[in-house]
Amino acid sequence: MSNATTLPDAKKVGMVSLGCPKALVDSERILTRLRADGYAMSPDYAGADVVLVNTCGFLDSAKEESLAAIGEAINENGRVIVTGCMGEEADAIRAAHPQVLAVTGAHQYEQVIEAVHTHAPPSQGPFVDLIPQPDIKLTPRHYSYLKISEGCNHSCSFCIIPDLRGKLASRRIDAVLREAEKLVAAGTKELLVISQDTSAYGVDTRHDPRQWKGREVRAHMTDLARELGQLRTAEDKAPWVRLHYVYPYPHVDHVIPLMAEGLLTPYLDIPFQHAAPSVLKSMRRPANEAKVLDRIKAWRDICPDIAIRSSFVVGFPGETEADFEYLLEWLEEAQLDRVGAFRFEPVEGARANDLPDPVPESLKEERYARLMEVTERISAAKLDAKVGRTLPVIIDEVGEPDEDGDIGATGRSQADAPEIDGAVYLRNVPETLAAGDIVEATIEDADAHDLFGVIEN
Ligand code: SF4
């Protein structure tokens, strides 16, 4: 029986998925539900009976992008249902696009499904519902996002996510582990653990313990990491497991030894947002940055290969030149591996909008450029230090043979998460190589973002 288990007249759904990996997981869940209801997926506007646009509402620039995507879907298809974070602003969406069929908010799965059933009633068939299939993934088969909770209990002054997605709601640990096990059994080699606040996992359920494989495990980041490290791929290897959106609580220190033991990929995505105490205070973020430098040093003592990714906001209201200089000096000392930077952008509903002393746009641009210059120089030096080393690399893509028959491939080291970090470009790879393979590669060269090398025989 082929995979295409839908009836010829099955209604087809198109999906435009915007925003963060958490939104991507929402899109995957919606599509999986719809397929179980007898819908097929359309790869383009022309073939779709209805198009879903999963929007992002985190920043005004993201809202503009969402409205443009809705407009395109209306022009290209005409039958559009909107969901996601910007769906919380239904009036604004209807004002811009009165033709939309329905608007629902973030993770309102039932409402979306109902809207699709209303506007593109499913064709009935005796077979579809009886054939279980792996969940629909919008990422390549070899890596998957694993969303462990929804919402956030913090109130960072520049952020409206708690208003959009509500308070922290952690999933049961056994449900998360079962999903992870299913993903690995279906070919996932790399699990990306995501939420708004991964290190707060289980705080809202008092780390509710559950039975898993005869053991009691708590809904807690450390227990989760340890259990994910016990999973086994088809090659009887531990999957790569990355922790993303880790808020800098003290207990984060407890997962570092798991990295040194090889149970967890030596990678931590931990947004610090700034370093200057006064700026962190008005951001309503933990202000103890001095201790953070000591902690980073201790993490590297325990796990020398740990790669630390973080993100920073420049031009936050009230940020002085001294604050910004402080941040640059802090970055020099922290020596982070991967840094994303954002220019502060007021978003409707954020408390930071009312703060005094906004930073002029031109100064924001100048500070953004200076920060990127510092972090790029640090990245270049750190990558250069990897030349000559042999590193595990997961393959994302294998190229076509060139005129000499040589084949290249693109992959990532354990220090590179998909879509946000750098790549490893490999030359002369064997033609048997496939996406998802994990190989040992010798690094021959580096630039400020990427590595270049060859596979060890
Ligand atoms: S921790 Fe993240 S999601 Fe939560 S309020 Fe702060 S920035 Fe927003």
Side-chain angles (χ1 to χ4, degrees):
M1 167 83 78
S2 78
N3 241 346
T5 52
T6 50
L7 292 172
D9 63 347
K11 290 283 173 45
K12 293 192 171 54
V13 176
M15 170 66 87
V16 178
S17 188
L18 304 171
C20 65
K22 288 149 276 187
L24 189 82
V25 172
D26 292 346
S27 300
E28 292 173 342
R29 290 186 181 156
I30 292 166
L31 292 175
T32 300
R33 268 289 305 281
L34 288 170
R35 190 195 46 214
D37 293 351
Y39 290 87
M41 302 307 125
S42 172
D44 54 37
Y45 288 118
D49 295 290
V50 69
V51 174
L52 294 174
V53 180
N54 188 2
T55 59
C56 175
F58 185 47
L59 296 169
D60 288 355
S61 52
K63 292 181 188 177
E64 279 156 31
E65 188 197 351
S66 296
L67 289 173
I70 297 167
E72 180 188 282
I74 287 171
N75 293 341
E76 298 286 336
N77 177 279
R79 298 177 56 73
V80 176
I81 291 171
V82 175
T83 187
C85 287
M86 196 181 171
E88 307 289 333
E89 298 179 48
D91 296 346
I93 290 171
R94 289 192 184 288
H97 301 294
Q99 315 92 311
V100 291
L101 299 173
V103 180
T104 68
H107 57 103
Q108 292 184 336
Y109 304 119
E110 297 313 319
Q111 290 87 330
V112 178
I113 304 295
E114 200 184 309
V116 173
H117 280 234
T118 305
H119 296 286
S123 53
Q124 290 310 314
F127 299 107
V128 176
D129 308 54
L130 303 175
I131 304 164
Q133 297 182 55
D135 292 357
I136 288 186
K137 305 300 306 171
L138 298 177
T139 54
R141 188 161 168 270
H142 60 279
Y143 70 81
S144 298
Y145 292 105
L146 182 68
K147 186 153 80 165
I148 62 173
S149 66
E150 202 43 272
C152 179
N153 288 352
H154 292 287
S155 54
C156 305
S157 60
F158 53 81
C159 179
I160 58 169
I161 290 178
D163 309 325
L164 294 176
R165 296 202 162 235
K167 286 284 182 197
L168 177 69
S170 300
R171 294 176 62 200
R172 283 172 47 153
I173 179 99
D174 52 345
V176 172
L177 290 171
R178 206 170 301 116
E179 181 185 347
E181 193 176 49
K182 238 169 75 179
L183 289 167
V184 172
T188 290
K189 302 276 179 64
E190 183 181 9
L191 287 165
L192 305 141
V193 177
I194 59 169
S195 71
Q196 308 301 352
D197 181 359
T198 295
S199 33
Y201 178 49
V203 164
D204 56 312
T205 62
R206 299 175 188 282
H207 304 297
D208 173 28
R210 297 280 165 169
Q211 283 301 312
W212 173 253
K213 307 219 178 274
R215 295 184 293 278
E216 186 171 86
V217 285
R218 300 170 307 157
H220 188 287
M221 180 176 72
T222 312
D223 291 31
L224 173 67
R226 190 178 294 111
E227 292 301 327
L228 292 175
Q230 319 277 343
L231 296 174
R232 284 291 170 272
T233 64
E235 296 77 12
D236 195 28
K237 295 256 170 48
W240 288 11
V241 177
R242 296 181 195 277
L243 298 180
H244 286 271
Y245 307 99
V246 174
Y247 196 90
Y249 296 106
H251 71 259
V252 172
D253 297 0
H254 302 154
V255 297
I256 310 301
L258 300 180
M259 296 176 181
E261 290 166 38
L263 279 175
L264 194 57
T265 302
Y267 179 93
L268 202 57
D269 169 14
I270 183 163
F272 291 120
Q273 309 297 4
H274 211 284
S278 60
V279 178
L280 286 168
K281 201 151 177 283
S282 51
M283 283 180 167
R284 299 169 69 108
R285 301 269 309 171
N288 220 329
E289 44 59 56
K291 246 185 156 181
V292 170
L293 287 174
D294 297 341
R295 291 173 64 200
I296 291 174
K297 191 175 169 316
W299 296 346
R300 288 183 175 134
D301 292 343
I302 296 166
C303 182
D305 270 340
I306 187 172
I308 303 172
R309 151 169 275 279
S310 192
S311 52
F312 297 87
V313 175
V314 299
F316 191 77
E319 181 191 63
T320 63
E321 182 55 25
D323 292 328
F324 184 67
E325 286 287 344
Y326 193 112
L327 172 58
L328 295 184
E329 282 161 29
W330 189 91
L331 286 165
E332 291 288 1
E333 202 170 335
Q335 291 286 305
L336 302 176
D337 301 80
R338 299 289 181 185
V339 168
F342 303 89
R343 304 152 184 86
F344 171 74
E345 213 185 290
V347 60
E348 199 182 319
R351 265 173 288 248
N353 303 354
D354 310 325
L355 291 171
D357 308 322
V359 175
E361 287 306 316
S362 57
L363 189 50
K364 264 188 218 169
E365 284 309 321
E366 184 228 315
R367 286 180 181 167
Y368 177 82
R370 287 164 61 194
L371 187 142
M372 292 312 285
E373 195 199 314
V374 167
T375 54
E376 206 162 279
R377 176 170 41 74
I378 291 170
S379 175
K382 298 197 90 156
L383 292 179
D384 200 48
K386 294 184 179 183
V387 174
R389 289 187 59 188
T390 297
L391 302 173
V393 170
I394 189 165
I395 303 299
D396 287 320
E397 214 176 322
V398 180
E400 296 299 319
D402 64 13
E403 63 278 5
D404 305 326
D406 290 341
I407 304 173
T410 306
R412 288 172 289 108
S413 74
Q414 293 195 317
D416 305 303
E419 296 161 30
I420 53 174
D421 295 327
V424 181
Y425 296 99
L426 300 171
R427 61 180 178 81
N428 292 357
V429 304
E431 56 189 37
T432 54
L433 191 71
D437 288 351
I438 297 180
V439 297
E440 293 294 315
T442 300
I443 305 304
E444 299 172 315
D445 199 1
D447 64 19
H449 303 291
D450 305 311
L451 297 171
F452 304 86
V454 66
I455 294 181
E456 271 301 294
N457 292 323

